[in-house]
Amino acid sequence: MTLGETPLATAALALGDDALVLSHRLGEWAGHAPVLEEEVALANIALDLLGQARSLLSLVGDEDELAYLREERSFRNAQLVEQPNGDFARTIARQLYFSVHQHLLYGQLAAGDGPFAPLAGKAVKEVAYHRDHAEHWTLRLGDGTEESHARMQRALDDLWRYTGELFEPVEGLSVDRTALREGWLAAVTEVVERATLKLPDGPQTGAWTAGAGRQGIHTEPFGRMLAEMQHLHRSHPGASW
Amino acid sequence: MTTMAPDAGAQDTMAQEAVFDAAVAADERIEPRDWMPDAYRATLVRQIAQHAHSEIIGMQPEANWITRAPSLRRKAILMAKVQDEAGHGLYLYSAAETLGTGRDELLDKLHSGRQKYSSIFNYPTLTWADVGAIGWLVDGAAITNQVPLCRCSYGPYARAMVRICKEESFHQRQGYELLLALSRGTEAQHAMAQDAVDRWWWPSLMMFGPPDAESSHSAQSMAWKIKRHSNDELRQRFVDICVPQAASLGLTLPDPDLRWNEERGHHDFGAIDWTEFQEVLRGNGPCNDQRIGQRRRAHEEGAWVREAAAAYAAKHGKATA
Amino acid sequence: MTNADWPLWEVFVRSRRGLAHTHAGSLHAPDAEMALRNARDLYTRRSEGVSIWVVPSAEVTASSPDEKDPFFEPAADKPYRHPTFYEIPEGVKHL
């Protein structure tokens, strides 16, 4: 495997792993969603992301080798997307933070002439819907009942420290990071306030400076997620499925 | 559209029944606001509800493997399939609702064990090959049962079934393809496939219900054209379809008595263990408690989400009663 | 409070431009915005549509089957509304 040998590969892995890992997490909702209509909605988002992941990983190598045979330290996804689902509010908070970011990022990539432009041009439409879904639920949970408000606020607060990483530079990805960060903050603030919630005010990154997902440093739940995801594939080396 | 039973007192029930019978006899569809016998309505609600419950409980054994699917292609297929099952549950609950019974009430009955779902989903998915066996055998049996329902006398049910059958055509094929890959794969994969077929074959045959002689609802349902073929007829059709498919897969069906009967023009097959069927139906299957438990938990843990959305709609004046 | 508070909506889908919206089915949603989104996910996930309407089921006024005769039968004896009513000599084209 030519892991991250070129800037293009590094960038493709970062984007591809984000999509792959978040898709996997959303897939864990199957059979557990709060209402049947939401089973269908969450699965749609998960399928979009999985499709994106497959295209992106295929730019670097064999999609299955990359998904199933890499060790934890070789995954390049941001820590935000690997965070466990928690309750529905936590999943929605994760979706809000990530999908607004992904929408703006893919918008920039689609408008540029870089290697990701064609892929981003298709994906940006999917992601617009993911963002819409997250925003609508943020409004309903924030401005719903006392309980849902409290849960949503807690979820936004808890995940806030994983958002800073989304704006760190990624080699091979030429984007206007200032615009990305400002656009993200403005959009998230607008939705959060409309939902009668408060934008968290803590630091946007953890205190530990060893690095983050883009450097292959992940949170503890990620190892267990990978163990589950990779176990069957690895139990039958060389098999086709 | 809420459907109220018309005021029977003001009408001549006999005349209405004659109109209903004539419509059924002429293969016309009965629609929600038409007069219908109470027993017809009750039978349909029971059957459609059981069908809807089966779709959503049936998500669980397969969802059990989404997070472990061994390739990204298989993962996407499985996710799409489980999603379809949620969708099919929704179509069917909607069809039941046209008969005046809300989804809430039906879910309550499922959660409290007053309504049933197909017993097949009380069996566990122990290996990846089970996903294939479910697609090939369980969905295959379901399709054999469902295709005739597309012509069921009740319009909304028939229309839901048309949609479902169209969408399900990929379910069975993906299962077959999955098993084929395993059967032609490594020795361990082949063994996994054979083991799954060994475990799912008999429960699949039970999906057609008890033998005709013992089926309590069959005769009336056939007369009403809710049902078009008997349990045994459909079971035979399914066995005949599966035998050559198993041969192409390179897998064996676990029935020493299975053989072609030239005289009948059908395959003979061994006796089904109806004691096991009755036990699973009674709640003693390997996964009954687990399936209902997960379903109930998802519903209870989702209550605050549903309440929040309803409260938001009420506040913002977008709800309609 | 339960799911019952999510009302039922009727969903109409235009399968492609140039065709009318047709009834696809129904679903539950807390409000119109969510109903549209749920409808998009449920009824167009195989690209079955380019436009969706959602209508609260409670807002649909339907003719009663009891009025079937007075409502629809008078139309049945006016065959002159249909082109097949008229006899045209053989060989006359474009009519």
Side-chain angles (χ1 to χ4, degrees):
Chain A
M1 247 173 292
T2 55
L3 245 190
E5 271 181 2
T6 64
L8 171 74
T10 305
L13 281 181
L15 299 178
D17 287 348
D18 278 351
L20 175 68
V21 172
L22 187 57
S23 166
H24 183 96
R25 284 297 190 203
L26 290 172
E28 292 174 351
W29 271 104
H32 299 274
V35 63
L36 274 176
E37 280 80 359
E38 210 49 35
E39 292 278 0
V40 183
L42 292 170
N44 261 353
I45 297 173
L47 282 167
D48 285 344
L49 289 166
L50 186 52
Q52 294 164 17
R54 295 178 67 188
S55 305
L56 285 158
L57 295 181
S58 298
L59 294 176
V60 186
D62 178 81
E63 59 176 39
D64 286 336
E65 270 180 42
L66 288 163
Y68 291 98
L69 298 178
R70 268 184 301 160
E71 299 295 322
E72 180 176 337
R73 293 279 278 107
S74 303
F75 275 81
R76 291 289 177 265
N77 56 285
Q79 290 180 354
L80 175 66
V81 295
E82 75 203 31
Q83 294 311 305
N85 288 336
D87 65 3
F88 190 67
R90 203 177 165 90
T91 290
I92 291 300
R94 191 183 61 200
Q95 284 302 111
L96 178 73
Y97 289 157
F98 185 74
S99 64
V100 171
H101 159 262
Q102 199 191 8
H103 187 224
L104 297 172
L105 173 66
Y106 279 36
Q108 280 200 29
L109 293 174
D113 52 6
F116 297 111
L119 187 142
K122 172 174 177 284
V124 75
K125 293 179 205 147
E126 298 169 349
V127 178
Y129 185 74
H130 305 173
R131 175 178 171 175
D132 178 82
H133 174 266
E135 290 179 350
H136 276 284
W137 270 114
T138 302
L139 291 176
R140 279 154 187 79
L141 298 185
D143 196 11
T145 63
E146 214 171 293
E147 181 183 5
S148 69
H149 180 90
R151 282 179 188 257
M152 193 62 210
Q153 187 64 59
R154 198 180 321 134
L156 289 173
D157 292 347
D158 286 353
L159 294 175
W160 183 250
R161 68 212 213 65
Y162 299 106
T163 55
E165 192 188 353
L166 299 174
F167 310 102
E168 291 297 313
V170 174
E171 202 192 344
L173 213 54
S174 64
V175 286
D176 179 347
R177 282 185 297 115
T178 311
L180 194 60
R181 187 181 195 105
E182 283 171 1
W184 182 88
L185 193 64
V188 169
T189 305
E190 193 270 329
V191 178
V192 165
E193 286 178 354
R194 205 144 48 88
T196 73
L197 295 159
K198 263 183 59 218
L199 195 73
D201 52 11
Q204 268 184 288
T205 49
W208 193 37
T209 52
R214 303 281 185 229
Q215 282 82 50
I217 302 286
H218 295 281
T219 54
E220 286 185 352
F222 186 55
R224 278 189 297 280
M225 191 204 104
L226 280 189
E228 184 174 340
M229 183 173 105
Q230 297 182 334
H231 143 262
L232 177 60
H233 184 97
R234 287 181 178 233
S235 302
H236 298 262
S240 336
W241 302 94
Chain B
M1 215 178 322
T2 46
T3 309
M4 296 296 164
D7 180 7
Q11 303 287 338
D12 182 357
T13 308
M14 297 267 286
Q16 285 172 320
E17 191 141 21
V19 171
F20 170 86
D21 288 343
V24 171
D27 258 340
E28 277 182 27
R29 296 287 176 267
I30 306 300
E31 293 296 341
R33 293 164 61 88
D34 291 339
W35 184 91
M36 61 188 88
D38 290 343
Y40 176 84
R41 184 185 299 273
T43 299
L44 276 170
V45 169
R46 184 176 51 76
Q47 183 175 333
I48 300 174
Q50 175 168 336
H51 197 158
H53 299 332
S54 302
E55 293 283 356
I56 63 166
I57 294 284
M59 295 168 72
Q60 292 183 30
E62 293 179 277
N64 185 34
W65 284 93
I66 288 179
T67 52
R68 293 177 285 173
S71 74
L72 296 185
R73 174 172 176 271
R74 291 285 173 204
K75 195 184 180 96
I77 292 168
L78 186 56
M79 246 197 267
K81 177 171 191 252
V82 173
Q83 181 195 40
D84 270 353
E85 279 149 17
H88 297 170
L90 281 169
Y91 302 156
L92 289 162
Y93 284 120
S94 300
E97 264 179 280
T98 62
L99 292 159
T101 313
R103 194 203 300 177
D104 252 18
E105 190 183 330
L106 299 176
L107 284 176
D108 263 358
K109 286 188 174 154
L110 169 67
H111 297 155
S112 59
R114 280 174 295 157
Q115 276 179 348
K116 303 225 173 289
Y117 54 89
S118 177
S119 273
I120 192 82
F121 301 119
N122 290 320
Y123 291 88
T125 45
L126 301 178
T127 71
W128 170 250
D130 289 28
V131 172
I134 288 186
W136 176 41
L137 296 174
V138 175
D139 291 331
I143 291 168
T144 309
N145 268 326
Q146 286 169 1
V147 166
L149 286 174
C150 296
R151 294 184 297 126
C152 155
S153 61
Y154 187 59
Y157 190 25
R159 290 192 287 276
M161 290 317 305
V162 168
R163 206 179 179 97
I164 289 171
C165 286
K166 213 187 285 173
E167 296 186 352
E168 279 207 346
S169 51
F170 101 77
H171 293 188
Q172 197 190 8
R173 289 175 76 101
Q174 67 82 32
Y176 193 83
E177 189 210 63
L178 190 164
L179 284 177
L180 193 65
L182 294 179
S183 181
R184 293 180 178 171
T186 66
E187 212 173 302
Q189 285 178 308
H190 182 89
M192 193 194 280
Q194 183 61 56
D195 168 61
V197 169
D198 289 348
R199 281 181 289 109
W200 288 93
W201 172 249
W202 290 107
S204 302
L205 293 191
M206 296 178 198
M207 284 176 71
F208 295 93
D212 295 346
E214 292 157 37
S215 176
S216 48
H217 304 296
S218 279
Q220 181 61 72
S221 287
M222 302 256 293
W224 278 331
K225 296 190 182 169
I226 292 174
K227 203 172 158 156
R228 300 237 172 203
H229 305 278
S230 80
N231 295 353
D232 287 332
E233 252 174 80
L234 291 170
R235 187 168 13 244
Q236 181 70 60
R237 185 180 299 176
F238 178 67
V239 170
D240 289 339
I241 288 171
C242 286
V243 170
Q245 289 178 347
S248 299
L249 274 177
L251 297 173
T252 323
L253 296 172
D255 179 357
D257 299 323
L258 188 65
R259 61 179 59 85
W260 178 250
N261 182 327
E262 190 65 52
E263 210 172 298
R264 291 203 306 126
H266 291 292
H267 292 87
D268 290 338
F269 52 97
I272 292 171
D273 180 0
W274 291 109
T275 324
E276 175 183 316
F277 178 77
Q278 293 301 340
E279 277 303 304
V280 178
L281 202 62
R282 252 195 295 278
N284 298 325
C287 300
N288 297 55
D289 294 342
Q290 180 191 330
R291 300 286 186 244
I292 282 293
Q294 178 180 327
R295 191 44 238 155
R296 214 183 281 148
R297 215 159 36 246
H299 191 72
E300 282 162 12
E301 285 171 6
W304 69 271
V305 177
R306 300 190 298 274
E307 283 163 20
Y312 177 89
K315 270 186 226 177
H316 294 268
K318 288 169 197 154
T320 38
Chain C
M1 203 195 283
T2 64
N3 201 21
D5 299 305
W6 282 24
L8 193 65
W9 301 76
E10 298 302 323
V11 179
F12 299 82
V13 175
R14 184 200 295 287
S15 56
R16 56 190 164 79
R17 301 186 66 82
L19 294 182
H21 287 77
T22 46
H23 187 236
S26 56
L27 49 74
H28 286 270
D31 54 54
E33 286 177 331
M34 294 303 272
L36 265 184
R37 284 159 182 81
N38 291 345
R40 176 259 193 199
D41 286 333
L42 184 61
Y43 289 105
T44 66
R45 67 187 187 286
R46 285 180 168 79
S47 336
E48 295 96 330
V50 295
S51 164
I52 299 175
W53 292 343
V54 290
V55 181
S57 306
E59 300 292 314
V60 173
T61 307
S63 66
S64 157
D66 299 338
E67 294 161 3
K68 188 149 67 180
D69 292 357
F71 244 67
F72 303 112
E73 245 173 43
D77 66 352
K78 297 180 181 61
Y80 45 80
R81 290 198 207 275
H82 301 278
T84 47
F85 180 73
Y86 304 93
E87 265 180 52
I88 302 293
E90 256 178 69
V92 177
K93 287 180 182 161
H94 306 300
L95 254 180

